Amino acid sequence: MANVVVVGAQWGDEGKGKIVDWLSERADVIARFQGGHNAGHTLVVDGVTYKLHALPSGVVRGGKLSVIGNGVVLDPWHLVKEIETVRAQGVEISPATLMIAENTPLILPVHGELDRAREAQISVAKIGTTGRGIGPAYEDKVGRRAIRVADLADPATLEARVDRLLLHHNTLRRGLGMEEVDRAGLIAKLQEIAPEILKYAAPVWKVLNEKRKAGKRILFEGAQGALLDIDFGTYPFVTSSNVLAGQASAGTGIGPNSIDFVLGIVKAYTTRVGEGPFPTELFDADGQRLGERGHEFGTTTGRKRRCGWFDAVLVRQTCATSGVTGISLTKLDVLDGFETLKICVGYELDGERLEYLPTAADQQARCTPIYEEMQGWSESTEGAKSWNDLPANAIKYVKRIEELIECPVALLSTSPKREDTILVTDPFQD
């Protein structure tokens, strides 16, 4: 059986939740492999809306194993609250349906406090974080001072880890004019939450490899989008983890030879939340229309998303860096009624044409889009379930995108409803 990685191929908010939910019905295991609860997925299942941040999207599907991998940074208090919320909506969650990697780093209250304090003092160029502590938690992971899930099981180890962590954090806090951390209070909070987290702890790498050998279908769920990748995104306006498909291996402990299909989720136009370059951003009525029709507000923060025309240059780039096998094109119906559509096919920088987004931040900011115009369509695509249901110009638009990004469309989404999906290539067909 094929194993599938789902990644966002733009700046996030591409509609991964619906597609992961659509695919998870046919998967046996759904695994999160990076990010924290700064990324949100909205799922609508049988008329019920679920808003997930830390939990894998597969939890709303009965009979599936949901996994939080070691590439994730986990806020244990948030997770417990989220579990309570979805349980109240009728979702069963137990150690039989949810598993957390023992080597998963934890997000602590000190991380959120540091995140917000630093963001408040950056006057030159704000990164635009959610303030939930994701960045500082990843910093501690790389700095080898993180507290991981397994540490909660041994009081002596936990105290030693806290001491190492606070040696660093209290120094920072003094420099920022903040009070030092209450050591005893932090340890008490961790000891209190430990039983709620440890019951889900497991050697995820071992379990996933056993599932693979048994022929089970594994769906790897990415958060955010490739343009927010710490290495290949629009740095420094990025997240603190690797978002590309390759992280599915490092973030769960399963080898790259176990991945059979990479599905890149791509919106039929472009959006971005927060700060950073955005070559095709629109500030006119068309941009306003895209935002209103697409309901472009962040699941996690509620922040209004910036909107612009489809950028084929960026998507071609992210398909290459993630090794995308096929894309799922979402929100095509938002473009219904536009008389003219534009696609960015290149950039102009200092009088020269570029076919990729440069790495240097000053050059990214100066890139202006080179557009190709296409005739829009007046008919509705909402709810289309086959190519025959689509207007001719909508099909031309999709085909042109395929040509420009050098990657085929595997799935086409025509509304937020999971059933309104056109299957072109089955990602799970090995």
Side-chain angles (χ1 to χ4, degrees):
M1 294 294 186
N3 299 318
V4 179
V5 177
V6 175
V7 293
Q10 292 160 306
W11 275 294
D13 309 308
E14 302 96 346
K16 291 184 293 297
K18 169 193 167 176
I19 301 303
V20 169
D21 176 55
W22 190 87
L23 291 169
S24 68
E25 191 170 41
R26 302 170 58 221
D28 300 297
V29 182
I30 298 89
R32 275 281 308 272
F33 60 85
Q34 55 77 219
H37 62 303
N38 54 334
H41 289 175
T42 300
L43 308 177
V44 180
V45 182
D46 298 329
V48 180
T49 299
Y50 303 93
K51 292 186 181 293
L52 306 178
H53 297 85
L55 290 168
S57 296
V59 296
V60 300
R61 294 285 163 193
K64 313 291 180 181
L65 174 61
S66 290
V67 169
I68 296 175
N70 57 276
V72 173
V73 285
L74 180 67
D75 183 326
W77 296 276
H78 174 90
L79 178 66
V80 169
K81 289 180 181 179
E82 193 168 314
I83 289 173
E84 292 173 352
T85 298
V86 297
R87 274 181 177 158
Q89 293 180 286
V91 176
E92 179 186 351
I93 296 180
S94 70
T97 61
L98 176 65
M99 191 174 291
I100 304 172
E102 296 169 317
N103 51 339
T104 300
L106 299 180
I107 301 174
L108 309 179
V110 297
H111 293 129
E113 291 164 6
L114 177 61
D115 200 0
R116 294 186 291 273
R118 289 197 301 206
E119 189 76 356
Q121 294 195 18
I122 296 176
S123 58
V124 178
K126 290 183 179 295
I127 301 299
T129 75
T130 58
R132 299 193 172 195
I134 283 77
Y138 273 116
E139 290 174 36
D140 283 344
K141 173 183 178 178
V142 176
R144 293 164 291 186
R145 54 182 172 265
I147 294 170
R148 306 197 294 182
V149 169
D151 299 331
L152 297 175
D154 181 64
T157 299
L158 180 60
E159 289 197 23
R161 294 284 190 269
V162 168
D163 286 341
R164 182 178 177 86
L165 179 94
L166 295 189
L167 181 65
H168 174 78
H169 275 266
N170 281 334
T171 302
L172 288 177
R173 292 168 76 95
R174 286 193 295 269
L176 290 168
M178 302 170 65
E179 291 185 4
E180 293 191 4
V181 178
D182 176 4
R183 176 185 182 275
L186 176 58
I187 292 173
K189 287 180 180 178
L190 287 167
Q191 290 174 335
E192 181 182 13
I193 201 73
E196 296 297 320
I197 301 300
L198 287 171
K199 62 186 175 184
Y200 301 108
V204 158
W205 68 269
K206 183 175 182 293
V207 173
L208 289 182
N209 278 281
E210 289 171 350
K211 295 287 187 183
R212 178 186 63 82
K213 290 176 182 178
K216 301 299 183 181
R217 288 174 168 173
I218 305 173
L219 180 63
F220 298 91
E221 176 186 3
Q224 298 141 322
L227 292 168
L228 295 175
D229 184 85
I230 188 67
D231 288 308
F232 291 95
T234 48
Y235 191 92
F237 304 101
V238 293
T239 193
S240 299
S241 62
N242 284 112
V243 184
L244 305 183
Q247 178 63 17
S249 293
T252 60
I254 197 166
N257 62 337
S258 302
I259 296 170
D260 303 292
F261 196 102
V262 178
L263 182 67
I265 314 300
V266 179
K267 198 176 289 186
Y269 49 101
T270 310
T271 63
R272 175 166 200 170
V273 171
E275 309 296 326
F278 185 170
T280 65
E281 184 173 10
L282 295 171
F283 302 95
D284 57 8
D286 286 335
Q288 181 75 13
R289 184 177 180 184
L290 287 172
E292 291 174 353
R293 294 206 58 192
H295 306 290
E296 297 297 351
F297 296 91
T299 301
T300 301
T301 63
R303 289 185 293 181
K304 183 179 179 181
R305 298 179 187 134
R306 300 152 65 189
C307 298
W309 296 120
F310 186 84
D311 193 328
V313 182
L314 288 180
V315 176
R316 182 171 63 243
Q317 193 164 321
T318 57
C319 284
T321 54
S322 267
V324 173
T325 313
I327 69 165
S328 173
L329 192 65
T330 66
K331 291 200 168 184
L332 183 67
D333 54 300
V334 174
L335 300 180
D336 293 352
F338 278 89
E339 185 175 340
T340 302
L341 300 172
K342 294 182 180 181
I343 300 177
C344 176
V345 297
Y347 303 128
E348 190 276 327
L349 175 63
D350 300 336
E352 294 185 9
R353 177 169 177 144
L354 292 181
E355 304 297 333
Y356 66 97
L357 186 68
T359 300
D362 65 307
Q363 293 181 352
Q364 291 179 351
R366 298 203 312 275
C367 281
T368 58
I370 300 171
Y371 285 121
E372 177 178 297
E373 291 192 359
M374 296 190 68
Q375 187 176 349
W377 55 89
S378 57
E379 308 95 320
S380 173
T381 63
E382 184 175 358
K385 296 179 176 62
S386 73
W387 285 108
N388 294 333
D389 297 332
L390 295 175
N393 283 345
I395 295 175
K396 289 179 182 178
Y397 183 77
V398 174
K399 292 298 183 182
R400 184 55 179 151
I401 284 177
E402 287 183 316
E403 294 173 356
L404 291 168
I405 68 173
E406 300 173 359
C407 191
V409 170
L411 296 167
L412 185 64
S413 173
T414 57
S415 92
K417 298 177 182 177
R418 67 188 308 273
E419 61 269 19
D420 293 340
T421 306
I422 300 172
L423 177 64
V424 181
T425 301
D426 187 352
F428 274 123
Q429 186 63 48
D430 190 1

